[in-house]
């Protein structure tokens, strides 16, 4: 597609809308907005604009739509699919000034927030009122709620509580043509025509720009228990996951980690971690609730399942500091992997019972193509993050041959009734593989939905399709 460059006249228009200090044009200052957490991709915008209100967003969008200028919405830039990168230059619309929690409605167990609110800051704010917002991506300390909506983000506790999609009641959205709409209602039920709210969630900023979010809240559980189980066989660890649920338990998190993941994380965070000889996988399992006695009984049942699947000695975190230690190790793995190596991260997901087959298949493909992988992820919901490490592979292999290996991994996911992204989205890096899991007529249906919202294709172009 062809888009026009931003002119000096249009930059003055942007300045008149948001103020001169919130329009950035120098290459030095726009560098921060040319990258996200995705591999080594880098695309510079012509200009970065930082609006504060929905009306300002609408005015900027109208200028871009009229002039056929590519416009890329951006949150915190913590994404892993390149979804916030300005592939066609143009305007980056940074939502960082939309950082207010507008209301916490304790009577109705819901809150209204702006998209630039940090996930963990929001969790802490509602917790002070005894409320709980469960979606907790690994980047929760820096990622924005708007980005979570754009990617239907999950996290470890999606296992018990669901993903972002399960907590969004209503959205205020600026459409690519400049109109401002609410997509639904602030109600737990909604059966009034097409559900535009759920259509927006996971659309990666290609259909509209979210300016307010109404979120459902639940009561906060009073207690958590955390255990770490080592396994000499990764397949046995994967098999134990389904056994935990077949035993009738309902953990709030069940994470699979290869030892190298913990070691990389420990090295980056300056935490100590020792892998005992023969250990090839870990399960990090959390149980939460309000009745400690019932929770302890549940942990006993889980422990029995783990031992039946040949787990080593199960370690219980005894204090809040120990729990924080293990969660910090787990949440830092992605960043630590990137810190230590050039890598590609594939966000594979299959039905939970197929996790052992997925893991075996990934390792077999890696052996045939000659690359290492570090695997970790949300085992309880079948979501395995596969980090392919470049190590000493040639640039030619990394740039060309690796794609055939990734196609094989995704073909395996499809064979196992899974798909190519559980929570990271498609963005730039996964769009070449959409044909692996979807027929062309289905992709064309999605393109037609995009055209209905965005006739000129100005909004986050180059993503998904």
């Amino acid at each position: 597609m062809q888009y026009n460059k931003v002119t000096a006249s249009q930059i003055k228009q942007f300045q008149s809308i948001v103020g001169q200090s919130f329009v950035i044009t120098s290459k030095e200052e726009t560098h921060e907005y040319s990258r996200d957490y995705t591999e080594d991709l880098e695309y510079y915008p012509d200009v970065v604009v930082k609006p504060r209100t929905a009306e300002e967003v609408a005015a900027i969008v109208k200028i871009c739509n009229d002039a056929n200028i590519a416009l890329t919405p951006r949150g915190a830039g913590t994404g892993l699919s390149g979804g916030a990168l300005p592939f066609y230059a143009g305007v980056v619309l940074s939502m960082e000034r939309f950082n207010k929690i507008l209301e916490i409605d304790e009577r109705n167990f819901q809150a209204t927030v702006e998209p630039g609110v940090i996930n963990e800051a929001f969790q802490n704010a509602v917790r002070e009122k005894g409320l709980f917002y469960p979606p907790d991506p690994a980047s929760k300390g820096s990622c924005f709620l708007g980005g979570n909506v754009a990617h239907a983000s999950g996290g470890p506790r999606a296992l018990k509580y669901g993903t972002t999609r399960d907590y969004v009641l209503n959205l205020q959205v600026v459409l690519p043509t400049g109109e401002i709409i609410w997509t639904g209602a602030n109600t737990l039920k909604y059966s009034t025509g097409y559900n535009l709210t759920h259509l927006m969630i996971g659309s990666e900023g290609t259909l509209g720009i979210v300016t307010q979010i109404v979120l459902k809240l639940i009561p906060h559980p009073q207690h958590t228990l955390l255990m770490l189980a080592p396994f000499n066989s990764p397949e046995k660890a994967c098999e134990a996951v389904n056994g935990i649920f077949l035993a009738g338990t309902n953990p709030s998190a069940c994470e699979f980690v290869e030892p190298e993941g913990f070691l990389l994380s420990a090295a980056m965070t300056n935490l100590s971690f020792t892998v005992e000889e023969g250990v090839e996988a870990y399960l990090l399992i959390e149980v939460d609730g309000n009745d400690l006695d019932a929770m302890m009984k549940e942990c006993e049942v889980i422990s029995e399942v783990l031992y039946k699947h040949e787990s080593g000695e199960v370690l219980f975190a005894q204090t809040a500091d120990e729990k924080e230690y293990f969660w910090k190790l787990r949440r830092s793995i992605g960043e630590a992997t990137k810190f230590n190596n050039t890598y590609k991260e594939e966000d594979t997901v299959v039905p939970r019972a197929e996790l052992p087959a997925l893991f075996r298949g990934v390792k077999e493909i890696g052996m045939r193509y000659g690359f290492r992988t570090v695997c970790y992820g949300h085992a309880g919901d079948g979501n395995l993050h596969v980090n392919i490490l470049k190590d000493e592979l040639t640039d030619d292999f990394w740039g060309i041959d690796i794609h055939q290996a990734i196609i094989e991994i995704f073909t395996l996911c499809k064979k196992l009734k899974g798909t190519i992204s559980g929570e990271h989205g498609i963005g730039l890096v996964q769009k070449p593989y959409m044909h692996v899991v979807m027929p062309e007529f289905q992709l064309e249906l999605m393109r037609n939905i995009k055209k209905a919202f965005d006739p000129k294709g100005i909004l986050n172009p180059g993503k998904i399709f």
Side-chain angles (χ1 to χ4, degrees):
M1 298 184 70
Q2 294 293 320
Y3 296 95
N4 295 322
K5 289 189 67 65
V6 178
T7 66
S9 173
Q10 287 154 352
I11 289 173
K12 288 182 179 179
Q13 287 181 280
F14 297 145
Q15 290 172 338
S16 70
I17 294 168
V18 303
Q20 188 169 346
S21 61
F22 297 114
V23 178
I24 298 173
T25 56
S26 73
K27 188 162 187 177
E28 180 181 4
E29 290 182 291
T30 59
H31 176 72
E32 177 185 347
Y33 300 88
S34 70
R35 303 175 60 87
D36 63 5
Y37 280 32
T38 310
E39 301 173 19
D40 296 319
L41 302 179
E42 186 174 84
Y43 299 93
Y44 278 84
D46 297 331
V47 60
V48 177
V49 185
K50 303 179 182 182
R52 179 63 194 91
T53 68
E55 289 73 23
E56 289 178 358
V57 172
I60 295 162
V61 166
K62 286 178 182 177
I63 293 170
C64 293
N65 194 55
D66 290 344
N68 196 38
I69 295 169
L71 188 150
T72 304
R74 182 183 175 96
T78 60
L80 294 166
S81 65
L85 301 182
F87 188 63
Y88 289 101
V91 175
V92 161
L93 192 78
S94 172
M95 302 302 287
E96 62 197 86
R97 295 176 66 208
F98 281 76
N99 58 3
K100 305 296 183 188
I101 298 174
L102 300 175
E103 181 187 18
I104 299 175
D105 180 354
E106 297 172 71
R107 293 186 311 147
N108 290 305
F109 279 63
Q110 59 186 234
T112 304
V113 301
E114 293 180 330
V117 173
I118 292 173
N119 178 293
E120 190 170 36
F122 177 62
Q123 287 186 330
N124 292 339
V126 300
R127 183 169 187 171
E128 290 178 3
K129 298 180 181 296
L131 300 173
F132 189 29
Y133 178 70
D136 58 340
S139 59
K140 68 175 185 175
S142 55
C143 65
F144 290 172
L145 291 172
N148 296 169
V149 170
H151 291 92
S153 300
R157 294 183 179 93
L159 169 62
K160 181 175 181 178
Y161 293 105
T163 68
T164 300
R165 185 178 299 279
D166 299 294
Y167 292 87
V168 178
L169 299 175
N170 201 0
L171 297 168
Q172 185 188 64
V173 174
V174 178
L175 298 177
T177 46
E179 295 89 351
I180 302 173
I181 66 168
W182 282 95
T183 58
N186 297 11
T187 55
L188 295 175
K189 292 181 178 179
Y190 186 84
S191 183
T192 311
Y194 295 145
N195 194 322
L196 298 182
T197 304
H198 279 262
L199 185 58
M200 287 290 170
I201 300 166
S203 65
E204 303 185 36
T206 62
L207 302 180
I209 300 166
V210 174
T211 49
Q212 284 189 40
I213 311 166
V214 181
L215 294 168
K216 180 180 73 172
L217 305 172
I218 60 177
H220 202 290
Q222 296 178 23
H223 308 290
T224 62
L225 298 173
L226 189 66
M227 60 185 90
L228 182 72
F231 289 82
N232 291 342
S233 163
E235 289 86 352
K236 287 291 184 181
C238 292
E239 290 169 5
V241 173
N242 209 42
I244 289 169
F245 293 92
L246 289 173
T249 64
N250 188 25
S252 52
C254 184
E255 300 289 287
F256 172 93
V257 180
E258 287 194 281
E260 188 172 357
F262 275 146
L263 292 174
L264 289 171
S265 183
M268 188 191 74
T269 57
N270 294 317
L271 297 172
S272 62
F273 188 83
T274 302
V275 178
E276 294 184 4
E277 185 176 355
V279 172
E280 295 189 11
Y282 292 93
L283 290 181
L284 184 67
I285 302 164
E286 181 187 79
V287 172
D288 68 1
N290 299 319
D291 185 335
L292 267 176
D293 289 339
M295 292 165 59
M296 286 301 300
K297 290 178 182 177
E298 189 169 11
C299 287
E300 289 173 6
V301 173
I302 291 172
S303 295
E304 290 177 6
V305 172
L306 296 174
Y307 289 129
K308 285 179 181 177
H309 287 82
E310 303 177 16
S311 163
E313 184 177 356
V314 178
L315 173 66
F316 280 80
Q318 299 296 324
T319 66
D321 286 344
E322 286 186 3
K323 294 174 189 176
E324 177 61 26
Y325 160 80
F326 283 120
W327 276 121
K328 185 172 183 179
L329 281 176
R330 165 60 187 91
R331 293 184 183 279
S332 300
I333 293 173
E335 185 179 355
T337 305
K338 183 174 184 178
F339 181 79
N340 282 276
N341 209 316
T342 300
Y343 81 118
K344 295 180 184 292
E345 181 170 357
E346 309 308 334
D347 177 35
T348 61
V349 59
V350 295
R352 185 169 57 223
E354 304 297 344
L355 193 60
L358 174 62
F359 180 85
R360 285 193 300 270
V362 166
K363 292 299 182 181
E364 188 274 329
I365 292 167
M367 287 184 63
R368 281 196 287 107
Y369 281 87
F371 58 76
R372 284 195 306 140
T373 57
V374 176
C375 297
Y376 64 95
H378 316 306
D381 49 30
N383 189 188
L384 188 69
H385 300 316
V386 179
N387 288 266
I388 303 172
L389 306 184
K390 186 172 186 291
D391 291 335
E392 304 303 319
L393 297 172
T394 66
D395 290 341
D396 284 345
F397 181 92
W398 194 248
I400 301 173
D401 296 346
I402 196 68
H403 295 292
Q404 184 56 43
I406 294 172
I407 287 174
E408 288 195 30
I409 291 172
F410 289 158
T411 300
L412 173 63
C413 289
K414 182 181 180 181
K415 180 181 178 181
L416 297 173
K417 309 300 182 185
T419 191
I420 66 175
S421 181
E423 58 187 5
H424 292 172
I426 300 303
L428 282 174
V429 298
Q430 306 293 24
K431 70 176 182 178
Y433 309 111
M434 285 287 277
H435 72 279
V436 175
V437 291
M438 289 186 182
E440 178 57 30
F441 72 83
Q442 190 171 350
L443 292 172
E444 187 61 21
L445 181 62
M446 290 187 179
R447 293 187 193 102
N448 287 334
I449 292 172
K450 163 74 169 168
K451 290 174 186 176
F453 279 84
D454 185 13
K456 292 189 175 181
I458 65 156
L459 193 55
N460 211 8
K463 314 299 165 56
I464 303 179
F465 311 113

